[in-house]
Amino acid sequence: MKFTLTFVTFLLLILTTSAQTYLIHASLVDPITQKTLPDQTIVYQGGKILQVGASAKIRVPKSATVIDATGKWVMPGMVDAHVHFFQTGGLYTRPDGIDLRKYKPYEQEIAWYKQHMEQQLRRYTAAGITTVIDDGTTLALLQQRDTFATKDYAPRIYMAGPLISTGYDPHPFDSLTDPDKPIYAVNSPGQAVQKVTGEYPYHPDFIKIWYIVLDPNTQTGAEKNLPSVKATIAEAHAHGYKVAVHATERITAQLAVEAGADFLVHDVEDEVVDDTFVRLLKDHHVVLCPTLVVESGYFDTFGGNYVPTPEDITLGDPEQLRSLQDLEHLPDTALVKRYHLLARMRAKRTAQQDSIRKVNLKKMTDAGVIIATGTDAGNIGTLHASSFFKEIHAMQQAGLSNWQIITASTLGGAKALGKEGLFGSIRPGLSADMLILNADPVADLAGLEKLESVIQRGARLYPEKVRP
Ligand SMILES: [Zn+2]
């Protein structure tokens, strides 16, 4: 008996020791210090990082699994801090933007996004995105979320509940009912609180507000909707939930932050922000996700000008990508003409807003506001996973340095929900979410796409195999 116990202990010891992986001789890209450390060893086991240090100082036990990363770069897994799984990225996904339900009933869209969750998640992993933050979903998808927690191929998923919308109730969605309703329009603080508390039994990871102003006078409109915003934030905070807010105007962003918002999921697009605004965000430790490319996705599609990127072709869903060209072939030519015209008319305004967003992003990043990279993937013309690289390119055009972009795409995403103690960098105690790259991403961001393998909570995955 005694012998057996000792033997079992011995076996366990062997098993635990051999389960340790030593990733040796890596150039370690560290977003905390914004330095690349040469010849590092990272030890991990059971999905957790145990030790990080100079290879010369860490002895590799004979029983360990070894990954030799000589000539390679290792960085934390990336985070897309703004996606929506209730949207497919295709042409039929936002009937409030373009109503094509006579060609494809919205019920088919709902069925599609539920059935394709696994494929979409695999695309993110294949892109090196090991965490996704869904900023507004349905109760049905919240329930689906938990089924992916133990799947190696799936990134870590955080989800807000359905969007708490102030004053905007998009008509094609208003007939939907739970669990497939993505938007709760509220008209009073009492209604807002009722909707938020109704989400708790589904365990959202945070609460999301759509602070939409329809009043042509944005100041008046913003103030009118503010009581519902305040009530939502106070209620969510009282129960320990962080609050993300969609606010695209300077005034809504400012009022939301003053009311306690933790995370802004859009850049300000109506005016160049001043130092007072920047200080407000810094003092409140607010994280800003600039979400630069989503709008052009809509108008490129509506204008018949959507050009797939190389990443759309390798990573994007082919069916949804094809649908972006459907508008040109619809029998309702009057509708097609109307949307072409809309795209042309909006082009100037879109370009103007785009340049304001970029100026603001550069100003806020340089001033030390915490930035998280995010795409708003799922919207028309913004495909899941592939659009991340378009967003990075736009951040580059805004004048951000490669380090600023890498930090926003890793550590910044973790900070969006206060999870930097769990992932976002490579430190002992954190989850083993890492990318092994064949090229230096700091020298050239193209290196982010030279992905040899992804280590997702300790499991090593290869892009070409994990992709659907
Ligand atoms: Zn969004």
Side-chain angles (χ1 to χ4, degrees):
M1 193 63 180
K2 200 176 174 206
F3 168 78
T4 319
L5 272 178
T6 319
F7 185 67
V8 168
T9 319
F10 173 72
L11 261 183
L12 277 174
L13 199 72
I14 294 264
L15 284 172
T16 19
T17 319
S18 64
Q20 285 192 354
T21 302
Y22 283 66
L23 181 52
I24 58 172
H25 303 310
S27 293
L28 179 63
V29 178
D30 179 33
I32 295 179
T33 56
Q34 298 201 331
K35 282 200 173 83
T36 302
L37 308 166
D39 201 2
Q40 298 287 297
T41 289
I42 302 135
V43 186
Y44 61 93
Q45 179 182 28
K48 272 223 159 19
I49 297 168
L50 303 177
Q51 198 184 357
V52 183
S55 296
K57 290 190 177 160
I58 296 178
R59 200 184 59 84
V60 183
K62 276 205 179 76
S63 58
T65 304
V66 175
I67 301 173
D68 188 350
T70 303
K72 301 198 191 293
W73 285 261
V74 173
M75 67 173 269
M78 297 192 287
V79 181
D80 189 333
H82 190 177
V83 310
H84 295 279
F85 286 110
F86 84 89
Q87 300 180 138
T88 62
L91 182 64
Y92 307 94
T93 205
R94 284 297 293 268
D96 56 329
I98 182 165
D99 196 350
L100 302 171
R101 288 176 296 170
K102 64 177 171 183
Y103 299 108
K104 190 178 187 191
Y106 188 68
E107 291 66 35
Q108 279 181 30
E109 279 290 294
I110 296 177
W112 193 95
Y113 68 62
K114 285 183 185 171
Q115 283 159 9
H116 289 76
M117 266 299 277
E118 177 179 335
Q119 285 94 325
Q120 301 285 43
L121 292 169
R122 286 178 174 278
R123 295 177 195 288
Y124 279 107
T125 302
I129 296 163
T130 54
T131 299
V132 286
I133 301 178
D134 184 326
D135 296 278
T137 189
T138 65
L139 299 181
L141 285 177
L142 267 178
Q143 288 172 310
Q144 237 182 308
R145 170 199 57 190
D146 301 334
T147 65
F148 297 107
T150 53
K151 301 282 194 288
D152 276 352
Y153 62 77
R156 187 188 306 280
I157 311 168
Y158 292 101
M159 279 182 171
L163 299 150
I164 307 291
S165 168
T166 62
Y168 180 48
D169 193 5
H171 169 62
F173 289 122
D174 63 10
S175 58
L176 294 174
T177 52
D178 284 326
D180 293 321
K181 199 171 174 60
I183 297 155
Y184 294 153
V186 298
N187 294 311
S188 69
Q191 248 181 27
V193 169
Q194 191 203 348
K195 285 300 180 194
V196 174
T197 50
E199 293 183 3
Y200 296 163
Y202 297 85
H203 309 291
D205 296 293
F206 61 110
I207 300 296
K208 166 75 180 290
I209 302 173
W210 231 15
Y211 193 177
I212 307 275
V213 170
L214 297 174
D215 198 311
N217 184 326
T218 43
Q219 179 91 28
T220 316
E223 277 162 10
K224 195 179 115 224
N225 296 343
L226 184 60
S228 294
V229 171
K230 276 184 170 168
T232 304
I233 295 174
E235 165 57 36
H237 280 178
H239 286 84
Y241 292 99
K242 283 190 181 285
V243 179
V245 180
H246 165 115
T248 53
E249 305 87 8
R250 192 269 308 156
I251 183 66
T252 47
Q254 182 191 322
L255 292 176
V257 173
E258 286 170 353
D262 303 286
F263 179 28
L264 294 176
V265 300
H266 286 275
D267 203 342
V268 168
E269 64 187 24
D270 65 337
E271 55 183 85
V272 171
V273 296
D274 63 12
D275 295 344
T276 316
F277 181 90
V278 174
R279 211 171 316 121
L280 178 74
L281 264 57
K282 285 187 71 178
D283 289 350
H284 285 245
H285 307 288
V286 167
V287 178
L288 180 108
C289 177
T291 311
L292 301 172
V293 298
V294 66
E295 201 174 336
S296 62
Y298 274 91
F299 291 105
D300 287 348
T301 307
F302 291 165
N305 303 315
Y306 189 89
V307 180
T309 61
E311 292 84 2
D312 284 342
I313 290 157
T314 52
L315 288 167
D317 181 87
E319 184 183 342
Q320 299 305 337
L321 178 60
R322 267 196 311 275
S323 80
L324 298 176
Q325 312 296 338
D326 281 2
L327 193 62
E328 303 313 296
H329 315 292
L330 294 180
D332 187 349
T333 50
L335 177 132
V336 176
K337 268 195 193 134
R338 215 165 57 240
Y339 272 86
H340 281 178
L341 183 68
L342 174 74
R344 271 205 303 281
M345 278 166 38
R346 278 293 300 258
K348 203 172 154 197
R349 193 175 136 200
T350 304
Q352 213 169 35
Q353 287 175 337
D354 208 37
S355 71
I356 295 173
R357 273 193 289 261
K358 283 178 177 152
V359 169
N360 285 340
L361 174 60
K362 168 84 174 142
K363 183 168 183 171
M364 289 193 270
T365 313
D366 287 347
V369 173
I370 307 160
I371 306 295
T373 307
T375 54
D376 220 350
N379 279 281
I380 297 176
T382 304
L383 294 179
H384 285 284
S386 60
S387 58
F388 194 79
F389 299 100
K390 227 193 244 185
E391 185 70 26
I392 280 179
H393 185 63
M395 291 166 92
Q396 235 176 341
Q397 286 176 331
L400 268 56
S401 72
N402 290 357
W403 268 121
Q404 286 173 327
I405 294 170
I406 289 169
T407 305
S409 306
T410 53
L411 188 59
K415 285 180 174 175
L417 294 179
K419 302 289 182 189
E420 61 271 31
L422 185 59
F423 63 94
S425 63
I426 297 174
R427 287 286 189 281
L430 268 64
S431 180
D433 300 356
M434 298 178 277
L435 310 180
I436 303 179
L437 304 170
N438 289 318
D440 180 1
V442 181
D444 183 347
L445 289 173
L448 295 174
E449 298 184 64
K450 305 280 186 301
L451 191 55
E452 190 255 349
S453 56
V454 180
I455 296 164
Q456 184 130 279
R457 300 185 297 275
R460 192 178 189 192
L461 302 161
Y462 295 88
E464 58 280 9
K465 285 189 190 148
V466 76
R467 227 167 24 214

